[in-house]
Amino acid sequence: LSSGVRVALGGYTSDNWDVKLQGTYLPSHSSKHVDADAVGVFSDTLDPSFFPITAGEQGTEASAHWKLHFGLLDLTLGRETGLTKKFFVHPFIGIRGAWIHERMKGFFRGNLPIDSDYKYTNNVWGIGPRAGMHSSYYFAKNWSFQGGLSGSFILGNFTAKQQLIHGVVNEMADVVIKSTLKDKQQMIRANLDASLGLGWDMWFNRNKNRVYIALMCETSYWFGINQLMDLNLSEVDFGPPARPQSSLVAEKRHGDLAFFGGTLHFQLDF
C-alpha cells in the first residue's frame, strides 16, 4: 500500500477551452523473505522461476525487495460540453511524459554450495500523445457520478540492467563469479487509465468561482513496460556434425505494470 501526490494548474480561454498541466508522482516498495526446511531428502525446498541456473535447481532461502519511482507530466487541452441538463462530457487531447524507475534486489541460497545475490534495474524515459474523455452525471443538486477513460502511447528509452554475484564455497576453494547484463532500446508502449467515483461541486461569488471535491477509484495499466532480463541455460544447435551444446542465453522478461487505488480530488476554479 503506497500513496502519491498529483498537482495540476490550468486556465480557461475566452471560448471555454481549458488548458491543464498536471504532474503525478508515486513511490512504492514491496519486500518478501521465504525459508524452506532443508533437512532430509524429502524436505520442502524452493524452486526458483526467475534465475534457476544461478543458484542450483533448488534452494532453502530467498529474499527480494522491489522499489518503484513513478512520475508523469501531462499537458492537455479540452472542453466540457453538456449533452443534457444533467449529463456532461469533457473530451481532451494532450502530451504525456513518463519517468519510471524500478529496482529489485535480493539473494538466493541453494541446497548446493552456491549463493547468489542479484540486482535488477528497469528505467523508462518517454513522451507521447494522450487522449481521453471525462463524464459527469448529476443525479442531485451539486452531486454527480464521475467517470473517465484515457489512453496514451509512450516513445522513449528503455534501459534494463542485471547484476549477479555467485559464490561457490567448498573445501578446496572459494570462487566468486560476477556477471552484468545491460540492454538499451527505443520502444513504444501503450497505457490505459480509467476512473469512477462520486463528485460534489458548488459555484459561488456570483458564479465566478467553483469548488469541486471528488472521491475516485482509479486504475492505470502499462503494457510491456517492464524489461527485466533473465539468464537461462538452453541448448544451441550449431548443425552437423557438431552436437547441440548448452549455452547461457540472456532473455527479457516482458511484463506489465498496473496500479489500482483511490484518489481524493480537490479543485478550485477562480
Side-chain angles (χ1 to χ4, degrees):
L1 184 64
S2 302
S3 59
V5 62
R6 178 182 293 155
V7 179
L9 180 65
Y12 293 93
T13 65
S14 58
D15 50 356
N16 293 328
W17 287 88
D18 58 86
V19 180
K20 181 172 68 173
L21 180 64
Q22 176 176 280
T24 303
Y25 175 68
L26 174 67
S28 185
H29 65 90
S30 179
S31 298
K32 189 172 184 179
H33 180 274
V34 291
D35 292 287
D37 186 7
V39 179
V41 178
F42 301 100
S43 62
D44 293 333
T45 56
L46 304 174
D47 296 318
S49 60
F50 199 32
F51 49 97
I53 61 91
T54 66
E57 294 180 354
Q58 293 179 325
T60 58
E61 184 182 9
S63 177
H65 177 71
W66 171 79
K67 194 172 184 179
L68 168 73
H69 293 281
F70 179 84
L72 297 175
L73 187 63
D74 295 303
L75 178 63
T76 58
L77 173 67
R79 184 175 182 178
E80 187 175 67
T81 302
L83 300 182
T84 67
K85 292 182 178 180
K86 294 184 177 182
F87 186 60
F88 296 83
V89 294
H90 180 264
F92 63 89
I93 58 173
I95 299 175
R96 162 163 285 183
W99 170 69
I100 304 172
H101 173 76
E102 293 179 89
R103 182 180 66 184
M104 185 169 64
K105 298 175 63 177
F107 64 82
F108 189 91
R109 306 294 183 245
N111 274 337
L112 298 177
I114 300 177
D115 292 337
S116 293
D117 295 87
Y118 62 90
K119 178 182 178 182
Y120 297 98
T121 58
N122 184 55
N123 293 311
V124 178
W125 294 84
I127 190 172
R130 180 173 181 243
M133 184 176 68
H134 295 295
S135 61
S136 306
Y137 176 75
Y138 285 83
F139 61 92
K141 183 179 180 181
N142 304 120
W143 291 92
S144 62
F145 292 119
Q146 302 284 324
L149 182 65
S150 65
S152 65
F153 290 96
I154 299 298
L155 169 63
N157 294 321
F158 290 71
T159 304
K161 186 177 182 180
Q162 168 188 286
Q163 294 176 311
L164 294 173
I165 301 177
H166 323 301
V168 182
V169 182
N170 53 44
E171 298 178 355
M172 301 298 295
D174 296 345
V175 180
V176 177
I177 304 173
K178 297 182 179 180
S179 62
T180 301
L181 299 174
K182 187 175 182 180
D183 182 73
K184 186 175 182 179
Q185 297 185 44
Q186 282 194 338
M187 293 182 289
I188 298 177
R189 289 295 182 263
N191 152 247
L192 286 177
D193 297 326
S195 62
L196 186 66
L198 183 67
W200 177 87
D201 68 293
M202 182 183 68
W203 290 91
F204 63 97
N205 192 21
R206 298 179 181 180
N207 289 334
K208 294 180 180 180
N209 305 106
R210 184 183 72 144
V211 59
Y212 168 60
I213 302 174
L215 184 61
M216 306 293 293
C217 179
E218 293 191 21
T219 182
S220 181
Y221 201 91
W222 295 77
F223 297 90
I225 207 73
N226 292 326
Q227 302 292 317
L228 298 180
M229 292 182 290
D230 196 5
L231 201 61
N232 290 314
L233 189 64
S234 61
E235 288 190 349
V236 179
D237 190 358
F238 296 96
R243 295 181 178 181
Q245 298 182 10
S246 297
S247 177
L248 293 178
V249 178
E251 299 177 348
K252 280 193 173 182
R253 291 284 186 113
H254 299 280
D256 303 332
L257 181 64
F259 300 94
F260 182 83
T263 300
L264 178 60
H265 178 97
F266 177 81
Q267 178 177 325
L268 180 62
D269 297 338
F270 57 89

